[in-house]
Amino acid sequence: MHRGYFLTSLGAMMAAPAAAGAVAPQPTGTLDVVKLPKAELHLHIEGTFEPELIFTIAERNGVKLNYPNVEALRDAYNFTDLQSFLNVYYHGMEALRVEQDYYDLTTAYLKRVQVQGVRHAEIFFDPQAHTKRGVAFPVVVDGISRALADGQRNFGITSHLIMCFLRDMSAESAMATLESALPFKDRIIGVGLDSAESGNPPSKFQAVFDRARANGFLTVAHAGEEAGPDYVWEALELLKVSRVDHGVRSLDDPTLVAHLRKERVPLTVCPLSNVRLRVVPTLAAHPLKRMMELGLMCTCNSDDPAYFGGYVGDNFRETAAALSLSDDQLVTLAKNSFEASFIDDSLRQRYLAEVDAAVS
């Protein structure tokens, strides 16, 4: 998620998101797209914080919220601009204080997506958003990683953890965060880059990513949603990322499209997020189908589902209906999610076989 998306070059054309309670469009194919086996590769664990859980954890920790009840907080999730979103997002995060909180947050996500076909998840977390509030780095990692380990045993969902740097903070802060992560390399597989994109190019963090790769971390980065294709080029050439998160603005540069197609660079696209953050005016106008028709290796993900109107299965279902995606295209999205993941080949083949079995 880029917490600065609202001021995009498309701003003048943006329409308001669908009203809460509107009937979701239904896909026309025969495939059960919600339960179709899939991996989720673009998911911010802090963005799964549902109002009920925020209140539960806040009460447990004695944190007073600015909302009188769950209903009032949920109403605030229908944000109208960037600031209203940030107010809710960061205010809710204040409830997270101890390891059990992060465990409960992560477990709640896994419980939700186990019925939406998720077999594997590669989860982002933003340590700077917690350490700057005085929460120790190990508290965050221990809570999330313990939940992920239990999630594999209890729900059959394998997972990896990816630490993201907040790009609207300094490169020095990112480097210090990387140093804090070095003792946890057994639990953190990679590093990423998120938060407000415009004015914070990937090149700002080149030295941080160089050091991360030297220490064995894989690299990904948000690029090409709020900002243009030049940020995608920087992510590829300077940060040497294995995947581009979002990347929808890549279509503005035919040379970049050709490069992404030739190199089969995965793009972790988040359709409902793009609508809620006014990157596209409507789901029917989303470029995902065109991107696939151009031969790009796309996946479908939820980003911050508590705020953006749906988890990964919901993104599959609603996008399939809005764009009239064929069953073959949906199967391709599901298979791409495993192909683009950081799992080993034996597990990848097992999950791909599950997709084939579900289709047959």
Side-chain angles (χ1 to χ4, degrees):
M1 170 184 60
H2 301 177
R3 291 143 174 96
Y5 292 161
F6 281 82
L7 301 179
T8 68
S9 60
L10 296 174
M13 298 187 296
M14 297 301 98
V23 176
Q26 297 299 315
T28 57
T30 58
L31 193 64
D32 187 342
V33 295
V34 173
K35 294 184 179 179
L36 182 68
K38 58 182 73 70
E40 178 147 46
L41 306 181
H42 189 148
L43 183 283
H44 300 265
I45 197 62
E46 297 91 346
T48 68
F49 212 177
E50 295 284 347
E52 294 83 359
L53 186 57
I54 290 177
F55 262 86
T56 296
I57 292 179
E59 290 173 2
R60 185 168 71 199
N61 291 336
V63 175
K64 183 173 176 56
L65 299 172
N66 292 338
Y67 302 90
N69 51 48
V70 167
E71 291 71 26
L73 178 55
R74 186 174 295 282
D75 286 344
Y77 277 34
N78 294 316
F79 44 83
T80 57
D81 56 20
L82 172 61
Q83 195 56 54
S84 65
F85 165 58
L86 292 177
N87 289 344
V88 176
Y89 182 83
Y90 287 114
H91 182 60
M93 200 183 298
E94 288 287 336
L96 299 168
R97 301 293 177 88
V98 300
E99 180 183 327
Q100 188 65 36
D101 302 339
Y102 295 93
Y103 178 91
D104 291 346
L105 174 65
T106 306
T107 300
Y109 163 73
L110 296 172
K111 284 181 178 178
R112 281 181 175 270
V113 299
Q114 68 165 329
V115 296
Q116 294 204 355
V118 173
R119 301 294 192 269
H120 177 75
E122 299 189 352
I123 293 176
F124 297 138
F125 75 110
D126 292 336
Q128 289 156 293
H130 308 289
T131 57
K132 71 181 181 181
R133 298 185 291 110
V135 180
F137 190 97
V139 168
V140 182
V141 177
D142 288 347
I144 297 173
S145 60
R146 182 163 60 91
L148 294 179
D150 286 350
Q152 183 168 356
R153 287 189 292 268
N154 297 332
F155 309 126
I157 299 175
T158 57
S159 59
H160 288 313
L161 190 57
I162 298 174
M163 176 183 74
C164 287
F165 305 114
L166 299 180
R167 67 200 307 156
D168 50 352
M169 295 183 69
S170 69
E172 291 75 19
S173 175
M175 189 68 82
T177 301
L178 177 60
E179 294 296 326
S180 297
L182 294 180
F184 298 91
K185 288 195 294 183
D186 60 326
R187 285 181 274 173
I188 301 173
I189 196 170
V191 301
L193 189 64
D194 64 9
S195 193
E197 188 179 6
S198 287
N200 296 295
S203 55
K204 174 180 173 182
F205 298 92
Q206 183 175 0
V208 180
F209 274 67
D210 286 346
R211 178 155 173 73
R213 292 195 313 278
N215 278 276
F217 290 107
L218 298 169
T219 58
V220 300
H222 289 50
E225 181 168 15
E226 183 183 23
D230 53 321
Y231 277 37
V232 179
W233 280 118
E234 283 197 5
L236 294 169
E237 296 178 340
L238 301 182
L239 305 189
K240 304 188 186 307
V241 298
S242 301
R243 295 194 299 249
V244 173
D245 299 313
H246 291 300
V248 293
R249 293 287 303 280
S250 299
L251 295 183
D252 296 348
D253 182 348
T255 302
L256 176 58
V257 170
H259 175 80
L260 294 171
R261 179 173 57 240
K262 178 182 177 183
E263 300 299 326
R264 285 188 58 76
V265 178
L267 306 176
T268 63
V269 181
C270 305
L272 293 181
S273 167
N274 293 160
V275 175
R276 286 297 185 100
L277 291 179
R278 317 289 178 90
V279 175
V280 295
T282 65
L283 197 55
H286 198 281
L288 176 60
K289 185 174 185 176
R290 181 184 169 207
M291 294 166 74
M292 296 181 69
E293 290 171 346
L294 288 171
L296 298 182
M297 187 180 187
C298 299
T299 68
C300 182
N301 311 271
S302 68
D303 202 358
D304 298 88
Y307 298 93
F308 298 154
Y311 287 75
V312 63
D314 307 311
N315 271 266
F316 264 76
R317 182 188 64 245
E318 296 188 29
T319 304
L323 300 181
S324 297
L325 297 179
S326 68
D327 284 356
D328 285 346
Q329 288 172 319
L330 293 165
V331 169
T332 295
L333 285 171
K335 288 189 171 184
N336 283 352
S337 70
F338 295 118
E339 294 284 3
S341 72
F342 295 142
I343 55 179
D344 62 50
D345 192 58
S346 62
L347 186 57
R348 178 177 293 107
Q349 293 306 316
R350 189 184 101 192
Y351 286 144
L352 291 173
E354 286 192 33
V355 177
D356 288 333
V359 174
S360 62

